[in-house]
């Protein structure tokens, strides 16, 4: 069975009504006290850079023009042992870019609305979300079954989040 996690800026989740829906599912959701203000979306280059800074690797399922896999999102260096040792594997990474279909490469300067991770390490997604929140602002993280929802904000400490991180 495969599973997936999705990450999206909290201000988009609020604008789309997802926050109200999420709060109904999980009243303990740690939403910021101040409403999330609209801000510029991170670019493809910024998202990939955040993942690299977090020490993560994965397989890009989005075609990116000018993308250097070794530089931007390297593959797993130890596929035989990575998953069993809790390695920083983001799994299959799909970038949500408006107006892009799966066949057309997107430019590194295109804004990213959301990121989907299929079969990731939960600890890798936490590290990636913390790094991405520094660029994108507060993020909503949820699984494909909508059983768990989580908010990661800029400045959050990974060790503090890990105590409550459901994945």
């Amino acid at each position: 069975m495969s599973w997936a996690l999705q990450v999206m800026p909290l201000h988009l989740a609020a604008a789309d009504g997802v926050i109200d829906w999420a709060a109904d599912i999980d009243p303990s959701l740690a939403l910021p006290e101040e409403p999330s203000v609209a801000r510029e979306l991170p670019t493809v280059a910024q998202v990939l850079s955040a993942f690299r800074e977090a020490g993560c690797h994965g397989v890009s399922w989005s075609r990116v023009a000018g993308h250097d896999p070794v530089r931007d999102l390297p593959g797993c260096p130890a596929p035989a042992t990575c998953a069993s040792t809790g390695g920083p594997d983001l799994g299959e990474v799909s970038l949500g870019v408006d107006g892009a279909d799966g066949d057309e490469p997107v430019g590194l300067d295109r804004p990213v609305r959301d990121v989907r991770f299929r079969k990731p390490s939960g600890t890798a997604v936490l590290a990636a979300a913390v790094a991405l929140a520094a660029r994108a602002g507060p993020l909503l993280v949820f699984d494909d079954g909508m059983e768990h929802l989580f908010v990661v904000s800029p400045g959050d400490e990974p060790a503090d989040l890990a105590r409550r991180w459901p994945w």
Side-chain angles (χ1 to χ4, degrees), residues 30 126-127 129-131 133 150-167:
L126 175 59
V130 168
F150 202 87
V151 173
V152 176
S153 295
D156 281 348
E157 291 296 325
D160 293 338
L161 296 178
R163 288 191 282 270
R164 299 184 330 256
W165 186 249
W167 302 285

Side-chain angles (χ1 to χ4, degrees), residues 23-120:
D24 287 343
I25 289 177
D26 185 357
S28 68
L29 188 62
L31 294 170
E33 290 182 22
E34 295 295 319
S36 191
V37 296
R39 54 188 300 162
E40 197 169 305
L41 295 174
T43 64
V44 170
Q46 290 171 323
V47 170
L48 295 174
S49 176
F51 297 164
R52 186 176 59 252
E53 287 174 16
C56 297
H57 57 263
V59 177
S60 179
W61 274 41
S62 298
R63 294 187 57 210
V64 179
H67 170 67
D68 177 350
V70 173
R71 181 194 70 217
D72 296 330
L73 184 62
C76 183
T81 59
C82 188
S84 64
T85 60
D89 186 10
L90 294 172
E92 299 162 355
V93 180
S94 299
L95 304 175
V97 175
D98 281 341
D101 65 26
D103 294 333
E104 176 187 336
V106 296
L108 290 168
D109 61 341
R110 295 283 300 273
V112 176
R113 290 184 54 85
D114 59 69
V115 182
R116 183 172 170 84
F117 305 98
R118 184 173 175 263
K119 297 191 276 186

